[in-house]
Amino acid sequence: MPLGPRLSLALLLIATTIAPRSLAEPPKAAPPPKEAVELSADKLDIDIAGKRALLEGHVRLTKGGLVVRAPRVEVRYDEVPNVTWAKGTGGVVAEVKGVRAEAPEVEIDLGKQTLSLHGGVRLQRGAGWISAEKATIDLVSLKVSLSEVKGALPVPEGAEKK
């Protein structure tokens, strides 16, 4: 039965559990439960020794309310395996809490809980938009830092009369 066009992180988990381990190495305790990072793509290549994976074609990464879509995403993970870092390239769309961001490239550092967009970013929420060379979003506080900014923010009707 064919796997279909979408692959998931399940393959990555299977591959890392069958990786050779030293018999002297005690099993590591599982970390406290966290929100899982869910991944899907048309193609997945895994480097078990390097603790990296490359997802290509219709890549979708989801963590809680964050959704990132890109043609290509490189992922790094630890021994457990927890995804610790991801980099999307080729035209990225990220959405979180009603904010849509588009950029050529994104880096997600799950240790620092930050999402950084580079190379000409456009953020949009409702009718308002901001463009910047770089944007960093703190995934915990949802604070956004921008550099080289321009944009347009809507003004409610009647506000200009005050």
Side-chain angles (χ1 to χ4, degrees), residues 117-152:
L117 299 135
H118 309 277
V121 180
R122 182 175 172 93
L123 296 170
Q124 186 171 351
R125 184 170 187 179
W129 64 271
I130 295 176
S131 66
E133 182 56 32
K134 180 180 177 184
T136 302
I137 302 170
D138 182 302
L139 297 173
V140 176
S141 68
L142 296 179
K143 291 184 179 178
V144 180
S145 298
L146 304 158
S147 63
E148 299 180 41
V149 181
K150 67 178 178 179

Side-chain angles (χ1 to χ4, degrees), residues 48-72:
I48 295 170
K51 298 180 185 163
R52 294 175 182 243
L54 179 62
L55 297 102
E56 294 181 292
H58 302 99
V59 180
R60 181 181 168 101
L61 180 146
T62 305
K63 184 178 188 309
L66 171 67
V67 177
V68 176
R69 292 183 307 277
R72 179 184 171 158

Side-chain angles (χ1 to χ4, degrees), residues 51-131:
K51 298 180 185 163
R52 294 175 182 243
L54 179 62
L55 297 102
E56 294 181 292
H58 302 99
V59 180
R60 181 181 168 101
L61 180 146
T62 305
K63 184 178 188 309
L66 171 67
V67 177
V68 176
R69 292 183 307 277
R72 179 184 171 158
V73 174
E74 178 187 348
V75 174
R76 293 183 194 154
Y77 56 92
D78 61 16
E79 298 82 21
V80 176
N82 292 315
V83 174
T84 58
W85 176 89
K87 181 178 183 177
T89 56
V92 176
V93 175
E95 295 175 303
V96 62
K97 300 283 185 180
V99 176
R100 177 183 170 94
E102 296 179 30
E105 183 177 290
V106 66
E107 280 191 54
I108 305 165
D109 185 328
L110 293 166
K112 294 179 182 177
Q113 292 291 302
T114 58
L115 180 141
S116 298
L117 299 135
H118 309 277
V121 180
R122 182 175 172 93
L123 296 170
Q124 186 171 351
R125 184 170 187 179
W129 64 271
I130 295 176
S131 66

Side-chain angles (χ1 to χ4, degrees), residues 2-34:
L3 291 175
R6 301 294 226 171
L7 294 176
S8 71
L9 187 58
L11 294 175
L12 177 63
L13 295 173
I14 291 167
T16 57
T17 58
I18 62 173
R21 295 180 184 236
S22 165
L23 295 175
E25 180 183 332
K28 297 191 181 200
K34 294 186 210 174

